[in-house]
Amino acid sequence: MLTLADIDHAAVAALLARYGLALARVADGEPIPGSYWGDSEAGLIGSTVYARGDTPLHSLLHEAAHLIVLPDERRAAVHTDATDSVEEEDAVCVLQCLLGDALPGVGRERVYADMDAWGYTFRLGSARAYVESDADSAWQWLHDRGLADAAARSLRLP
């Protein structure tokens, strides 16, 4: 599984900055502030994503996507848990895959594989199948909020 230590930290910070977010690197072995799952999983507080070197990249992207989809007034109040609906969670799963395309040497295919290895479950059996064939409502949720088109432009996606 790809971790923050495996990729260019500056590229991740720059990607998050495009959306008004900050990346806070946590020292190895220290607890990650705002982590919903604990262990090495990324955390959220306000507009900051917290991660250690051993944080899986898919986790960092997932938590960042939660902040990206929130309006500023809700983002400021986030601590640990950002989701308020299944629809939002589904949209975040799509967006985290798209964000992988914006990082050199990562790409959505790697994010799909790591999500599957981590244990995300989808009706069609894989993250890729979900995003490409079963996420119409998630794509619509992103589109309705101006995020699908903005993500495509920002990330230069088809």
Side-chain angles (χ1 to χ4, degrees), residues 45-153:
I45 300 174
S47 61
T48 302
V49 179
Y50 293 84
R52 294 190 309 235
D54 65 340
T55 296
L57 182 63
H58 73 84
S59 172
L60 189 156
L61 295 177
H62 186 88
E63 299 307 326
H66 272 296
L67 294 178
I68 290 167
V69 304
L70 291 178
D72 291 340
E73 64 276 2
R74 281 198 45 222
R75 186 186 285 181
V78 168
H79 193 300
T80 308
D81 187 4
T83 300
D84 73 347
S85 68
V86 170
E87 294 78 14
E88 182 179 301
E89 185 68 32
D90 291 347
V92 163
C93 287
V94 169
L95 187 54
Q96 83 184 84
C97 297
L98 301 179
L99 292 170
D101 281 346
L103 293 171
V106 178
R108 75 177 79 178
E109 295 296 328
R110 180 59 191 259
V111 176
Y112 293 152
D114 286 356
M115 288 172 72
D116 292 343
W118 188 83
Y120 282 76
T121 57
F122 298 100
R123 284 186 298 223
L124 298 182
S126 73
R128 180 183 185 155
Y130 170 69
V131 171
E132 294 179 358
S133 303
D134 195 33
D136 292 342
S137 61
W139 281 104
Q140 188 62 52
W141 192 97
L142 291 168
H143 180 74
D144 290 348
R145 287 153 183 83
L147 295 168
D149 298 334
R153 281 191 308 277

